[in-house]
Amino acid sequence: MGRRRIQCSRDYEERIQAAIRGVTEGQYKSYAEAALDLKVNFAMPLSLSMIVSSVLLFFAISLPTLADPLKKGFRIVAPPRPTYTGILQIPEPSHPFVAPGHKDLRGPCPGLNTLANHGYIPRNGVASFEQIVEAATHGFNMDYDLASGLTAFGMLARGNSYTDQLSIGLDTPLIPPLPGEIDGSTTRGLAAHGRFEGDVSMTRQDWAIGDNINFQPDLFAELLDIVAQVGNDSDVTGPKSIVNVEALSRFKLKRFMESQTQNVEKFAPNWFRRSSPGTIDLIGNSSGQVFEMNPVRPGANALNGTYIIDQHIGNCAFYNNLAADNVPGVLLNTTGVLKENVDFLLNAIHTLFPNCPAAVPHGAANV
């Protein structure tokens, strides 16, 4: 009986510590909610739950910055560049796969979902600029400047660049709106359609016709069927089991045609990241190969369903589409930490396109 009591005490102690961490990390909105969760979900005795509530209330009063961690502005700082950029087996033992809970946010980007499911970014799906850049460079060996530029665009387009928070899914109470709600009453998150998330995904449906956020096994099965026809051979996984350019090109064309007419995301076993950093030039060259096999010009559907081809294609046009068209212009009329962060993030995007004139954001707010 004595050992059992000791074990119960240890269990409750661990749960109390987890509740405190849960508030500081955004799992709970308040210490009161954390105390209620302990009482209801862990059947904690009433007398003990009252003590726990008192302890958590003490934290809420004595540590106001922790009790209300989401309203203060934080200056975004560039994380250090990786010192090792060679091949590496991922994930490490310290980053096991854990399926997301019902409160955890996930979105249309399989890479970010995978990083969250392995704890390379916070498992609740709310991360800072620094956390995403470090996770992408480490987990995938993405080029540092590329990771910084893409994360900067996501933060400006769908995050809170004042509190340095970005949801990889939809909007969440964990992230407040920008000061004065200059871009709407919520920050929406990366999964919100437009600005960042677009149609013709290879593993998600289009926003207008289906689920554009969660992994779609039927679409992935279609890709595997094409790989089985034209994929490369492997000594490990067998014949026609490796995705190649032709398979990607065929599947991308198929998804485009489907678009015009109508979460198990984790690192694979024995998976290794790239042996060298993946740069924006690598993406451009690979995209060019896919495009040449089935040349469909970039564009978008008009409101009447007509496909409109983009008139201007090129690095600078692409850069301006990101940093000018899809970043709200109201961010330029800010001051203090928010203005410093906006300038920092815009510069991170511009670093990817050094030969282009600096873009001036003019995107609409609250869209």
Side-chain angles (χ1 to χ4, degrees):
M1 178 66 70
R3 289 183 179 177
R4 237 178 115 182
R5 286 179 179 172
I6 292 174
Q7 183 60 47
C8 287
S9 298
R10 287 176 180 171
D11 288 344
Y12 287 135
E13 180 183 356
E14 290 175 357
R15 289 167 184 167
I16 293 171
Q17 292 175 347
I20 295 172
R21 288 197 306 272
V23 178
T24 61
E25 295 175 359
Q27 180 181 354
Y28 300 107
K29 297 178 184 177
S30 66
Y31 288 95
E33 181 182 328
L36 180 63
D37 189 49
L38 286 173
K39 178 183 177 182
V40 173
N41 293 334
F42 295 109
M44 189 172 284
L46 178 61
S47 58
L48 184 55
S49 69
M50 292 176 65
I51 296 175
V52 170
S53 299
S54 300
V55 171
L56 295 179
L57 179 61
F58 166 77
F59 273 92
I61 296 174
S62 61
L63 299 176
T65 57
L66 292 182
D68 192 12
L70 304 180
K71 294 183 179 179
K72 182 180 178 182
F74 293 93
R75 183 172 286 103
I76 298 174
V77 179
R81 289 179 177 269
T83 56
Y84 175 70
T85 57
I87 194 169
L88 183 68
Q89 186 167 10
I90 299 291
E92 293 98 332
S94 58
H95 288 274
F97 170 78
V98 177
H102 71 283
K103 292 184 178 180
D104 295 329
L105 298 159
R106 296 296 183 267
C109 178
L112 289 176
N113 292 343
T114 299
L115 292 174
N117 290 341
H118 284 274
Y120 285 101
I121 60 176
R123 294 183 183 272
N124 67 358
V126 175
S128 68
F129 171 87
E130 295 87 345
Q131 289 171 329
I132 296 176
V133 171
E134 290 182 331
T137 54
H138 182 79
F140 300 118
N141 208 4
M142 182 181 289
D143 173 70
Y144 178 88
D145 289 336
L146 177 59
S148 298
L150 292 177
T151 306
F153 172 56
M155 184 71 71
L156 288 168
R158 289 303 189 199
N160 188 320
S161 48
Y162 179 64
T163 60
D164 189 14
Q165 293 173 292
L166 178 63
S167 165
I168 68 174
L170 289 170
D171 61 297
T172 168
L174 300 178
I175 305 179
L178 287 167
E181 298 188 4
I182 58 176
D183 192 29
S185 59
T186 69
T187 56
R188 299 183 183 243
L190 292 182
H193 186 64
R195 288 191 184 172
F196 192 93
E197 188 273 338
D199 290 335
V200 200
S201 167
M202 301 181 80
T203 58
R204 269 74 174 167
Q205 289 288 0
D206 288 0
W207 172 76
I209 63 174
D211 187 347
N212 68 318
I213 297 176
N214 298 299
F215 177 79
Q216 303 296 302
D218 55 332
L219 292 180
F220 189 64
E222 291 180 22
L223 172 60
L224 294 182
D225 288 342
I226 294 176
V227 172
Q229 300 171 28
V230 300
N232 291 340
D233 298 338
S234 167
D235 294 334
V236 177
T237 55
K240 298 188 183 302
S241 59
I242 301 296
V243 178
N244 56 19
V245 172
E246 183 176 359
L248 285 176
S249 180
R250 287 193 184 187
F251 185 59
K252 197 67 177 175
L253 176 64
K254 187 174 186 297
R255 287 292 295 118
F256 172 78
M257 299 306 295
E258 290 173 348
S259 174
Q260 296 303 297
T261 59
Q262 43 173 331
N263 216 341
V264 291
E265 292 161 315
K266 60 182 178 180
F267 290 106
N270 198 34
W271 189 85
F272 290 80
R273 72 180 195 182
R274 285 180 50 83
S275 59
S276 61
T279 65
I280 191 170
D281 290 335
L282 174 68
I283 294 178
N285 293 336
S286 301
S287 300
Q289 294 177 34
V290 172
F291 172 78
E292 289 171 1
M293 298 191 70
N294 290 288
V296 176
R297 294 278 300 277
N301 285 336
L303 293 177
N304 62 3
T306 303
Y307 186 68
I308 307 298
I309 294 175
D310 289 343
Q311 297 301 310
H312 303 288
I313 300 175
N315 284 345
C316 292
F318 176 63
Y319 163 57
N320 275 278
N321 180 256
L322 292 179
D325 300 342
N326 285 291
V327 172
V330 293
L331 293 177
L332 295 180
N333 303 322
T334 54
T335 59
V337 172
L338 177 55
K339 183 61 165 64
E340 292 179 23
N341 287 346
V342 168
D343 290 343
F344 171 86
L345 296 170
L346 287 173
N347 183 67
I349 302 175
H350 190 215
T351 299
L352 294 175
F353 306 90
N355 298 321
C356 302
V360 179
H362 58 248
N366 196 24
V367 295

